[in-house]
Amino acid sequence: MQTQQNLNTSQIEYWHPGSECCDEIWEAAYRRFETPQQELNKFLKRLHYMGVAQWEKNLKVVELFCGQGTGLNALEKLGFHSLAGVDLSPCLLQQYQGTAQLYVADCRDLKFEDGSRDVLIVQGGLHHLSVLPDDLKKTLQEMHRVLRPGGRVVIVEPWQTPFLKFVHTVSEIRLFRKLWAKLDAFAIMTEQERTTYERWLSQPVEILSLLNNIFQQEQQIIGYGKLMYVGRKL
């Protein structure tokens, strides 16, 4: 165990001081919401659905807001081998077990060279940004700068759909939460991140406008409480 921990630490480069993580209540709820294997399977399913699994495997791929790196593990399983992960939490990054290079960094101020990466991926990180639309604009502009011409962004974030509204309504009924542990875990996570989460869900027009002004849209799939977006840098 100590050897693995040292290996993970040696892969981490600090671009920013980082922030101590985490919201222990949120983390405990997330562990109840899905197992690591379920999370991995979820990421694999998404990447297949969005066509990422068919892309060339020598592309330079970065996952932003990568947390403990399950998304990186999914990309490894698909055969991608030039991988990097970025997150503001050293604590989360140290939980990653894999071969990707890791960076403690603020995604609004990346240190990658201009035009140096082929794909940038975000799975559930943008809705944690504190100030909208300003923080989102800064992050997307940084992503655009880092991508080579023709490079792609892949974004998956919560979205206010009828399905999500229904889930929110049901999750407010205590009896249902007692009967279904997963629903209770979802409700707790929502409560813990309510400020940024609701701010994100309340600005769909502004968010899509930013995305489509900065990138050329290739895919935009909205359903079951998610936005799945693929854009290209011209």
Side-chain angles (χ1 to χ4, degrees):
M1 179 65 70
Q2 186 65 38
T3 301
Q4 182 62 56
Q5 184 177 1
N6 290 340
L7 174 62
N8 290 343
T9 302
S10 70
Q11 293 173 192
I12 300 175
E13 181 176 335
Y14 282 72
W15 285 345
H16 295 91
S19 62
E20 288 305 316
C21 190
C22 290
D23 182 334
E24 294 182 0
I25 297 174
W26 191 96
E27 287 292 316
Y30 191 74
R31 287 193 293 272
R32 289 196 298 121
F33 182 73
E34 60 186 2
T35 67
Q37 186 60 52
Q38 289 171 333
E39 183 182 39
L40 178 63
N41 291 340
K42 174 184 71 180
F43 287 149
L44 287 168
K45 183 178 179 180
R46 283 179 184 169
L47 294 171
H48 276 285
Y49 185 68
M50 301 175 77
V52 177
Q54 283 70 53
W55 295 352
E56 294 181 11
K57 299 305 184 287
N58 62 347
L59 295 173
K60 293 181 179 179
V61 183
V62 181
E63 179 145 21
L64 306 179
F65 305 90
C66 69
Q68 62 187 2
T70 308
L72 293 169
N73 292 143
L75 290 162
E76 290 167 352
K77 282 188 171 295
L78 293 177
F80 294 95
H81 50 82
S82 182
L83 295 172
V86 177
D87 200 274
L88 199 55
S89 168
C91 177
L92 288 177
L93 291 177
Q94 287 167 9
Q95 298 176 44
Y96 166 71
Q97 296 188 16
T99 60
Q101 174 65 50
L102 304 177
Y103 300 91
V104 176
D106 186 329
C107 291
R108 297 167 297 182
D109 182 25
L110 300 170
K111 305 303 182 185
F112 294 116
E113 295 181 358
D114 295 359
S116 62
R117 295 297 184 269
D118 299 300
V119 181
L120 296 180
I121 297 176
V122 182
Q123 299 196 69
L126 297 176
H127 74 276
H128 293 297
L129 292 170
S130 299
V131 182
L132 291 180
D134 291 352
D135 283 346
L136 178 61
K137 184 176 181 180
K138 290 176 184 176
T139 302
L140 294 178
Q141 287 175 336
E142 273 293 86
M143 294 169 73
H144 185 274
R145 179 188 65 77
V146 167
L147 282 175
R148 66 167 176 80
R152 291 185 173 102
V153 294
V154 178
I155 293 170
V156 181
E157 293 290 340
W159 209 249
Q160 190 69 285
T161 65
F163 173 80
L164 188 61
K165 290 180 181 178
F166 172 76
V167 173
H168 285 158
T169 299
V170 172
S171 69
E172 293 174 359
I173 302 173
R174 292 194 174 276
L175 176 60
F176 290 168
R177 288 176 59 168
K178 288 181 179 180
L179 294 174
W180 191 10
K182 189 178 181 77
L183 181 67
D184 183 60
F186 171 83
I188 291 172
M189 290 189 293
T190 301
E191 290 162 3
Q192 293 302 113
E193 61 180 17
R194 183 173 299 279
T195 300
T196 58
Y197 181 71
E198 291 186 347
R199 186 182 297 130
W200 173 269
L201 292 178
S202 70
Q203 300 187 47
V205 174
E206 294 85 349
I207 291 167
L208 289 178
S209 177
L210 272 175
L211 282 169
N212 291 319
N213 283 335
I214 295 174
F215 301 102
Q216 181 183 42
Q217 180 192 127
E218 288 192 341
Q219 290 186 56
Q220 181 177 298
I221 305 166
I222 295 174
Y224 295 100
K226 294 293 181 186
L227 166 70
M228 292 187 285
Y229 181 94
V230 178
R232 183 183 288 271
K233 176 180 176 177
L234 294 178

